[in-house]
Amino acid sequence: MFKMMALFKKPENQESFDEYYYGTHIPLTKKIPGLQDLRITKITGSPMGESDFYLLCEMYYESKEAFKEASRTEESKASGKDVMKFAGDIVTFMFGEEKND
């Protein structure tokens, strides 16, 4: 299973961020063809106490090839453009493959 992760730092206005993220961005992202699952984790802290991070979104695809194919769709492009519009300065993207060995 291949996944793209979006890690968000704490936004200045968490209430406004949540309203837009859950009400506008996530519904847009869920329209991406080939997206098999989407999981959101709200960061509550770290072993050292408070964390600079706010949210982790994991978007799952069958394979890296399936992700590449999905990335070429208008839905994916719209989602990417949207996230950069409202959170471009606080988001970091990563790729990974789950290993269940």
Side-chain angles (χ1 to χ4, degrees):
M1 185 74 46
F2 184 82
K3 65 181 173 178
M4 178 176 175
M5 296 162 281
L7 180 61
F8 296 87
K9 291 180 183 175
K10 284 187 180 173
E12 277 188 36
N13 185 327
Q14 293 175 10
E15 187 177 314
S16 176
F17 177 91
D18 286 353
E19 186 178 309
Y20 188 87
Y21 187 74
Y22 292 106
T24 301
H25 184 69
I26 290 301
L28 187 65
T29 301
K30 286 184 174 181
K31 292 179 182 178
I32 298 173
L35 179 66
Q36 293 191 335
D37 195 11
L38 185 144
R39 298 179 191 169
I40 300 168
T41 302
K42 190 153 191 181
I43 309 297
T44 58
S46 76
M48 306 308 234
E50 196 168 325
S51 173
D52 292 336
F53 297 102
Y54 184 66
L55 207 68
L56 172 67
C57 179
E58 298 172 289
M59 295 153 278
Y60 291 81
Y61 296 86
E62 182 64 35
S63 63
K64 187 174 185 177
E65 293 72 29
F67 167 77
K68 285 181 178 180
E69 187 174 320
S71 295
R72 291 189 287 270
T73 66
E74 290 305 314
E75 294 87 348
S76 179
K77 291 175 186 175
S79 176
K81 189 175 186 177
D82 185 62
V83 75
M84 295 313 290
K85 177 182 78 175
F86 81 93
D89 58 338
I90 62 169
V91 67
T92 299
F93 296 100
M94 299 162 281
F95 298 117
E97 290 188 46
E98 289 203 347
K99 300 293 184 187
N100 297 318
D101 300 344

